[in-house]
C-alpha cells in the first residue's frame, strides 16, 4: 500500500509538498507562498512559525489532492533554503527571534571583524567569510535577545537551519538534528573532520549546547508524529545538494546547474574535499552511511532574473517565454554583449561593486539582438563558473540542468555550444524535491540502491554542441572583454 514518498521543499519564497511515486513521477503538488520580512534595508527575515504552518498546510493539501492519507506514504524527505538561521526556546518550542534568511546582511559587521581569519575559516569549512552563512546570524540573535548568551550557555535555546526546525516540529520536539549538507553551510562545521569545530565555535562564541546532532542525509531521523505515528523522516539535504542528488550526479565529475533567479552550479568531487583558489565553495554534497561526498559550488547572481528585468523594467516582453522567440528571430547579437551585473558579479569574480553594462551596440541593434544578448549572458556567466570548476577539477564530464529558465530551448542550445559540452535535461524538473525523495527512499528501503534510482531516472532532452570551435572562442573572447570593461567602470 505504501506508494509515495512525500517531499517537503521549503524555499525562500514558498513551501511545497510533492508526492512522488516509485518511478519518481510527480503525482501531486501543493504550494504556499512564504512572506519575507524586510525590517531594515538589507535585512531579510521570515516568521519561523509561519514557515512551519506552511509546511503543515502543504502536507495536508497534497494528501487531500491525491485523495490519500499518510498511510500511503513510505517516508518523508525534507529539503530547504540553506543557511537561514532559527533559534528557539527548548521549553516552549517557540522561536526567540525571526528566522534570519540567508540573503540578509544584518550580521555583516560580525563578519567584517573576522576578515583576518578568512583563510583559517576557509580551510576548515570550505566557505568564504560572509553574512550568508549561519554562524554570524546565530551570533546576531544571541546578542539581540535579552540574556541570549546566558540562556544559550544554560542549554535553554536551540539553533537549527530550516530542515532542523521542520524535523523538530514534525517529531514534536523529539529530534534536534540536521544533515551534513546543511551543517556544512553554517560555517561552524569542519568539513575535513565532519563534526562541529570547537575552534570556530570559540571564534563566534557560540555554545555547543544549542547545536543539533549532525546525521547522514539518508537516515532514520525519527517518526513524523505530528502527521502520523508510522511515517519516518528518512531524507534531508540542503536545496542545491538535493538537486545534485536528484540529478543523479553520483560520479566524480558529474555536475548540475540550476537556472532560476540566479544560477547554482555544483560539481561532484568525490570523497576528498578540495579547496578552491578560484572563489568556488567546497561543501558537503551528502553523507550516506559513513561516506561523505563533497561538491564544489559556484553561483551566478543574475540568471533568469535578467529575463524578469526585460519583462518588468524594460517592458520588452509580456512573459519570460517570449524571450526564446525574439532571440531566435536573429542569427546573432550583431556584436552586442550585455553584462547583467545588477548586484555585482559572483563566481569567479566576486565583485560586489560591478554594475550592469551593454557593449557594441550600433544603429542597427534591435530589440531582438538585445534580448538575445541577455540570454547569451546567462550562458556566458555559467561558462565562467564552469571554467573555474574545470581548472580545479579536470574531470568535469557533463552538465545536467534544471530550473525555470531551462524551458528556454535557445538558451540550452547556446549553453551547450558555448561550453562545448552535452547538456541533459531530466524528465522531472523537480530535482530538488526528487533528490530528498531518493535519499529518503534509499534509507527506508523504497529503493534498493543507487543503481535502481539510476535505472528509473530519465531525460526529456539532450542538447549537443553544434558551434565551431573558432566561433565559440571568438564569442567568448568578446564576453571576457565585456567583463573586463564592466569591472573597470566605476
Ligand atoms: P526560483 O526558484 O529562483 O524562483 P525558478 O526555477 O522558478 O526560479 O525559475 C524562474 C526564473 O526563470 C525567472 O527568473 C524567469 O525569468 C526565468 N524563466 C522562466 N521561463 C523562462 C523562459 N522561457 N526563458 C528564460 N527564462 C525563463
Amino acid at each position: 500500500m505504501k506508494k509515495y514518498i512525500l517531499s517537503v521543499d521549503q524555499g525562500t519564497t514558498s513551501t511545497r509538498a510533492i508526492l512522488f511515486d516509485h518511478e519518481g513521477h510527480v503525482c501531486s503538488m501543493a504550494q504556499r507562498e512564504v512572506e519575507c520580512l524586510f525590517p531594515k534595508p538589507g535585512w531579510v527575515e521570515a516568521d519561523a512559525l509561519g514557515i512551519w504552518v506552511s509546511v503543515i498546510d502543504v502536507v495536508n493539501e497534497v494528501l487531500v489532492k491525491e485523495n490519500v492519507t499518510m498511510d500511503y506514504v513510505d517516508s518523508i524527505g525534507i529539503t530547504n533554503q540553506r543557511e537561514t538561521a532559527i533559534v528557539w526556546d527548548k521549553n516552549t518550542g517557540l522561536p526567540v527571534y525571526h528566522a534570519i534568511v540567508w540573503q540578509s546582511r544584518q550580521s555583516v559587521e560580525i563578519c567584517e571583524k573576522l576578515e583576518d581569519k578568512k583563510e583559517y575559516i576557509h580551510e576548515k569549512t570550505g566557505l568564504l567569510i560572509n553574512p550568508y552563512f549561519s554562524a554570524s546570524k546565530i551570533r546576531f540573535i544571541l546578542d539581540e535577545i535579552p540574556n541570549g548568551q546566558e540562556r544559550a550557555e544554560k542549554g535553554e535555546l536551540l539553533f537549527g537551519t530550516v530542515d532542523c526546525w521542520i524535523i523538530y516540529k514534525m517529531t514534536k520536539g523529539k529530534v534536534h538534528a540536521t544533515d551534513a549538507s546543511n551543517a556544512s553551510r553554517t560555517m561552524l562545521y569542519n568539513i575535513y573532520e565532519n563534526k562541529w569545530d570547537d575552534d570556530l565555535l570559540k571564534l563566534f562564541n557560540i555554545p555547543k549546547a544549542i547545536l543539533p546532532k549532525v546525521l547522514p542525509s539518508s537516515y532514520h531521523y525519527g517518526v513524523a508524529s505530528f502527521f502520523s505515528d508510522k511515517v519516518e523522516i528518512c531524507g534531508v539535504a540542503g536545496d542545491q545538494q538535493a538537486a545534485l542528488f536528484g540529478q543523479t550526479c553520483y560520479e566524480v565529475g558529474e555536475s548540475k546547474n540550476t537556472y532560476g533567479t540566479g544560477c547554482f552550479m555544483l560539481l561532484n568531487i568525490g570523497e576528498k574535499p578540495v579547496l578552491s583558489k578560484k572563489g568556488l565553495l567546497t561543501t558537503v554534497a551528502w553523507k550516506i552511511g559513513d561516506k561523505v561526498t563533497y561538491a564544489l559550488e559556484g553561483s551566478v547572481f543574475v540568471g533568469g532574473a535578467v529575463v524578469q528585468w526585460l519583462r518588468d523594467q524594460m517592458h520588452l516582453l509580456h512573459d519570460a517565454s517570449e524571450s526564446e522567440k525574439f532571440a531566435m528571430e536573429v542569427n546573432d547579437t550583431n556584436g552586442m554583449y550585455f553584462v547583467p551585473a545588477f548586484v555585482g558579479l559572483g563566481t569567479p569574480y566576486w565583485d560586489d561593486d560591478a554594475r550592469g553594462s551593454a557593449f557594441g551596440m550600433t544603429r542597427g541593434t534591435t530589440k531582438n539582438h538585445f534580448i538575445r544578448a541577455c540570454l547569451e549572458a546567462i550562458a556566458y556567466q555559467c561558462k565562467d563558473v564552469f571554467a573555474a570548476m574545470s581548472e580545479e577539477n579536470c574531470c568535469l564530464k557533463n552538465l545536467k540542468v534544471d530550473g525555470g529558465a531551462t524551458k528556454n530551448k535557445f538558451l540550452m542550445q547556446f549553453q551547450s555550444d558555448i561550453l562545448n559540452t552535452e547538456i541533459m535535461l531530466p524528465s522531472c524538473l523537480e530535482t530538488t524535491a526528487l533528490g530528498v525523495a531518493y535519499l529518503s527512499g534509499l534509507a527506508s528501503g523504497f529503493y534498493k540502491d543507487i543503481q535502481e534510482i539510476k535505472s528509473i531516472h530519465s531525460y526529456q532532452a539532450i542538447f549537443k554542441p553544434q558551434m565551431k570551435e573558432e566561433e565559440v572562442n571568438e564569442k567568448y573572447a568578446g564576453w571576457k572583454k565585456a567583463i573586463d570593461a564592466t569591472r573597470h567602470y566605476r
Side-chain angles (χ1 to χ4, degrees):
M1 189 157 96
K2 301 263 184 194
K3 290 207 286 198
Y4 306 97
I5 301 224
L6 169 64
S7 283
V8 173
D9 179 357
Q10 206 301 305
T12 315
T13 54
S14 74
T15 304
R16 298 186 311 154
I18 298 181
L19 284 172
F20 287 102
D21 66 13
H22 191 268
E23 274 60 53
H25 299 133
V26 173
C27 298
S28 281
M29 181 181 331
Q31 179 162 355
R32 287 281 182 290
E33 298 302 311
V34 172
E35 200 190 350
C36 280
L37 311 165
F38 306 102
K40 290 188 189 175
W43 294 32
V44 189
E45 298 181 354
D47 171 10
L49 270 187
I51 288 177
W52 167 234
V53 171
S54 74
V55 172
I56 301 172
D57 283 353
V58 292
V59 167
N60 285 328
E61 186 181 326
V62 82
L63 294 171
V64 169
K65 272 188 170 168
E66 188 64 8
N67 196 22
V68 294
T69 62
M70 282 299 274
D71 290 343
Y72 288 76
V73 173
D74 168 83
S75 57
I76 300 174
I78 298 171
T79 181
N80 55 294
Q81 52 172 312
R82 304 174 301 171
E83 298 116 13
T84 296
I86 304 173
V87 177
W88 64 94
D89 184 308
K90 197 173 176 174
N91 291 318
T92 63
L94 295 174
V96 295
Y97 192 87
H98 281 148
I100 302 187
V101 175
W102 56 276
Q103 296 158 317
S104 192
R105 309 289 298 170
Q106 69 214 80
S107 55
V108 72
E109 279 170 23
I110 297 168
C111 293
E112 276 167 4
K113 283 189 197 134
L114 296 170
E115 201 47 46
D116 59 327
K117 296 279 193 300
K118 198 174 155 184
E119 281 301 310
Y120 177 77
I121 293 174
H122 185 219
E123 280 166 16
K124 283 172 177 283
T125 64
L127 306 176
L128 301 169
I129 180 86
N130 193 290
Y132 265 14
F133 305 106
S134 322
S136 62
K137 298 179 195 292
I138 305 173
R139 186 64 262 147
F140 179 92
I141 296 173
L142 297 185
D143 288 339
E144 194 69 9
I145 61 166
N147 309 320
Q149 187 68 14
E150 198 187 316
R151 293 178 65 196
E153 277 165 12
K154 278 197 202 150
E156 292 173 12
L157 301 178
L158 298 175
F159 153 76
T161 40
V162 173
D163 56 310
C164 174
W165 170 240
I166 297 173
I167 295 165
Y168 189 80
K169 287 300 193 190
M170 275 195 189
T171 59
K172 294 199 194 156
K174 280 207 184 70
V175 180
H176 181 223
T178 188
D179 93 298
S181 75
N182 274 295
S184 76
R185 312 299 293 189
T186 57
M187 199 162 255
L188 298 171
Y189 192 72
N190 189 312
I191 60 167
Y192 288 87
E193 295 171 7
N194 274 294
K195 57 177 189 152
W196 298 122
D197 189 288
D198 290 330
D199 297 332
L200 291 173
L201 288 172
K202 218 179 276 169
L203 194 66
F204 286 94
N205 194 17
I206 292 172
K208 207 172 193 168
I210 73 168
L211 298 179
K213 215 184 323 168
V214 183
L215 298 175
S217 317
S218 182
Y219 191 77
H220 291 263
Y221 276 74
V223 175
S225 53
F226 186 90
F227 293 110
S228 158
D229 285 336
K230 294 183 210 128
V231 183
E232 276 193 284
I233 301 163
C234 290
V236 181
D239 52 9
Q240 298 307 322
Q241 291 97 323
L244 190 69
F245 201 84
Q247 288 272 20
T248 67
C249 295
Y250 304 144
E251 310 284 328
V252 175
E254 290 193 303
S255 65
K256 73 92 198 171
N257 195 15
T258 300
Y259 297 78
T261 310
C263 300
F264 285 94
M265 193 183 294
L266 267 74
L267 165 69
N268 182 328
I269 55 169
E271 291 170 44
K272 283 208 182 76
V274 178
L275 290 181
S276 164
K277 291 180 196 68
K278 305 274 168 208
L280 298 161
L281 304 178
T282 309
T283 200
V284 171
W286 49 77
K287 183 176 180 189
I288 298 179
D290 289 334
K291 204 171 110 183
V292 179
T293 299
Y294 294 89
L296 282 176
E297 175 172 325
S299 45
V300 167
F301 295 152
V302 175
V306 73
V307 179
Q308 286 171 323
W309 175 79
L310 287 173
R311 185 191 61 195
D312 303 338
Q313 257 79 32
M314 303 303 277
H315 301 287
L316 292 177
L317 304 169
H318 289 295
D319 64 74
S321 65
E322 269 185 353
S323 61
E324 178 174 351
K325 184 181 82 173
F326 287 126
M328 305 248 306
E329 273 172 25
V330 285
N331 290 326
D332 54 34
T333 65
N334 200 13
M336 150 165 204
Y337 286 92
F338 185 74
V339 182
F342 302 141
V343 289
L345 290 164
T347 314
Y349 310 106
W350 297 107
D351 185 342
D352 279 347
D353 302 320
R355 288 297 172 263
S357 330
F359 298 93
M361 288 190 282
T362 65
R363 187 68 177 73
T365 303
T366 64
K367 163 180 166 176
N368 294 342
H369 294 125
F370 194 89
I371 291 169
R372 185 168 172 129
C374 287
L375 290 177
E376 290 189 359
I378 301 175
Y380 286 129
Q381 292 182 95
C382 293
K383 171 147 174 145
D384 290 339
V385 178
F386 197 84
M389 288 197 174
S390 308
E391 280 176 50
E392 300 286 359
N393 190 298
C394 52
C395 57
L396 223 166
K397 283 181 192 149
N398 54 16
L399 184 66
K400 300 179 182 182
V401 297
D402 51 52
T406 58
K407 280 183 239 143
N408 193 312
K409 301 291 172 275
F410 162 76
L411 173 62
M412 292 300 104
Q413 184 56 51
F414 187 77
Q415 184 73 85
S416 171
D417 288 340
I418 217 74
L419 291 177
N420 191 26
T421 299
E422 213 167 72
I423 286 188
M424 304 165 82
L425 184 66
S427 306
C428 173
L429 287 175
E430 298 296 340
T431 52
T432 306
L434 186 61
V436 282
Y438 285 162
L439 284 165
S440 190
L442 276 175
S444 72
F446 195 68
Y447 296 114
K448 198 166 80 205
D449 53 22
I450 272 180
Q451 287 318 320
E452 186 183 6
I453 290 174
K454 276 190 156 176
S455 73
I456 58 165
H457 196 75
S458 63
Y459 295 90
Q460 55 173 294
I462 294 178
F463 297 87
K464 293 188 190 313
Q466 291 168 357
M467 202 181 276
K468 289 210 182 77
E469 200 183 331
E470 301 111 67
E471 195 182 344
V472 172
N473 292 342
E474 192 190 320
K475 282 192 192 305
Y476 191 54
W479 166 257
K480 283 295 202 185
K481 275 202 281 184
I483 284 276
D484 259 359
T486 301
R487 299 192 64 199
H488 277 98
Y489 177 79
R490 286 287 187 268

